[in-house]
Amino acid sequence: MIVTSLSVMLAPWWTLIGELSIVKFDYPKCPLPRTIARPYDAVTHSAREGGMGGSPTVKRRRLSAELVRLRQQAGLTVEEVSQRLEWSTGRLTHMETNKWVRPDLGNIRALLDVYGVADRQIRDAIVDLARQSREKGWWAKYNDVFRGSLPGFEADATQIRAYEALYIPGLLQTSAYAEAVFRAEQVLDDETVKRRIEGRLVRQETLRGEKPPEFWAVIDEAACRKLVGGMEVMRDQLRHLIEAAAQPHITIQIVPDSVGAHAGMAGSFVLLDFASEQDPSVVYLETATDSLHLEKPGEIQAYSLIFNRVVAIALSPEESIDYLAALVDRLRE
């Protein structure tokens, strides 16, 4: 350990509480996964009260879930609906699994007819949801930068929980740190690197809005010790973490090397929760070449459990700031 006085971290200041344990300091409990199916009145109420989230990404996912529910309520299979509309089964499957970008309003109305949705208020609410789903978020300008849908989910999340094993979380990276990461990942020309840095910094505005999400980052010590970009870049990055942690909606915890093997060693992930019960939580995973999001209740619960277990062995927020400050001092030597 760099700071030997932090060896007390393994003292019994934390306890496990049941299967979904959390540390005993006062944090918001992680919500349990939500179900997708909702009654018609939930859709119409959300439209009337303006309760729909601002992210087209989240709206498209909600629309897909609603179309599945309507088809099932009508007692129809994908094959039966496709046959009636003279569509390929792949088209409807594409819509129901949220593989679309800009839903076609004519197709939505055709589906409502097949499903027997006659109530004008309900039809208008669903078509309006489809119309809003066609909008473009700010991240559409950076399609060449972002591989997946993470920025769209972040834009509408009320709570973001991230575990990072080897990197500082993207939402907390300095421009110099991000540049070093991009240049290390692959051979990129200067313009591409500049473009990626710009996209990352714009994405960070999510944490600076009028109503930013609660951001809870648990970072492995290995990510803090790596001299990404050199000593000066890393020192500034660690200072940035300390400053970020001073904000009331940001919590940072460090998992020290001394804890040994732990539940998060399988890899980094992000858990996103949303205000509306119509929008289930999402787990976002990223590899070197691809990204994916998981939303089945069992998957959400599994990753929530992993996150809580990692939190339980991490330094407290206060100890984590002390650790980061000591590491900054060490990098001055």
Side-chain angles (χ1 to χ4, degrees), residues 19-315:
E19 277 302 297
L20 291 177
S21 56
I22 58 173
V23 294
K24 67 180 183 180
F25 22 87
D26 189 20
Y27 286 124
K29 293 185 178 180
C30 303
L32 292 175
R34 305 184 182 106
T35 57
I36 292 178
R38 297 291 164 188
Y40 280 152
D41 58 0
V43 178
T44 55
H45 174 78
S46 181
R48 288 194 304 267
E49 301 301 324
M52 291 186 178
S55 170
T57 302
V58 175
K59 292 173 183 175
R60 282 193 297 272
R61 186 173 68 130
R62 187 184 303 175
L63 178 61
S64 293
E66 187 63 19
L67 292 179
V68 172
R69 192 190 64 77
L70 289 171
R71 177 178 57 76
Q72 292 175 342
Q73 182 168 294
L76 297 171
T77 66
V78 171
E79 291 73 17
E80 289 171 335
V81 174
S82 299
Q83 186 175 16
R84 292 190 188 186
L85 293 173
E86 297 183 339
W87 290 354
S88 67
T89 55
R91 175 188 286 193
L92 183 55
T93 300
H94 195 75
M95 297 165 70
E96 290 190 350
T97 55
N98 192 23
K99 302 298 184 183
W100 48 9
V101 177
R102 303 194 72 195
D104 183 274
L105 301 185
N107 289 342
I108 298 301
R109 293 187 178 98
L111 287 173
L112 294 178
D113 290 339
V114 172
Y115 299 154
V117 181
D119 186 289
R120 177 55 56 186
Q121 188 176 41
I122 295 171
R123 290 179 67 94
D124 289 348
I126 295 175
V127 171
D128 188 53
L129 177 59
R131 185 176 291 109
Q132 294 177 50
S133 299
R134 291 169 53 84
E135 297 172 0
K136 293 184 179 181
W138 63 262
W139 50 92
K141 299 178 182 178
Y142 297 93
N143 283 335
D144 57 322
V145 172
F146 300 119
R147 288 200 306 264
S149 52
L150 181 58
F153 286 125
E154 289 174 338
D156 220 33
T158 54
Q159 179 177 242
I160 302 173
R161 293 169 282 163
Y163 167 69
E164 281 289 350
L166 297 174
Y167 296 101
I168 301 302
L171 289 175
L172 298 176
Q173 291 179 5
T174 64
S175 59
Y177 181 97
E179 178 179 359
V181 169
F182 292 140
R183 292 193 182 281
E185 286 180 348
Q186 51 188 299
V187 178
L188 300 173
D189 60 75
D190 290 344
E191 188 59 34
T192 300
V193 171
K194 180 180 178 181
R195 176 78 172 157
R196 291 193 176 190
I197 294 171
E198 179 184 339
R200 179 146 298 181
L201 295 181
V202 172
R203 178 181 152 219
Q204 292 177 1
E205 291 301 314
T206 298
L207 297 180
R208 302 189 185 100
E210 292 184 4
K211 295 183 179 179
E214 295 291 329
F215 185 53
W216 190 351
V218 181
I219 308 170
D220 200 281
E221 182 180 359
C224 299
R225 292 167 61 103
K226 288 183 182 299
L227 295 180
V228 175
M231 291 185 64
E232 183 177 354
V233 169
M234 200 62 208
R235 186 167 58 242
D236 291 343
Q237 175 62 73
L238 296 176
R239 286 184 183 136
H240 183 66
L241 289 181
I242 294 171
E243 293 171 359
Q247 301 180 62
H249 62 288
I250 297 178
T251 299
I252 296 174
Q253 289 181 258
I254 306 299
V255 179
D257 291 341
S258 60
V259 302
H262 60 79
M265 291 180 68
S268 304
F269 60 90
V270 180
L271 274 159
L272 302 105
D273 305 307
F274 307 93
S276 173
E277 290 190 351
Q278 298 175 69
D279 300 321
S281 299
V282 173
V283 175
Y284 182 86
L285 304 173
E286 194 169 88
T287 69
T289 59
D290 202 2
S291 62
L292 69 154
H293 62 271
L294 311 175
E295 52 190 356
K296 294 179 180 178
E299 295 167 335
I300 303 301
Q301 189 166 7
Y303 276 92
S304 293
L305 177 58
I306 292 172
F307 186 83
N308 289 337
R309 285 179 169 170
V310 174
V311 164
I313 61 171
L315 299 174

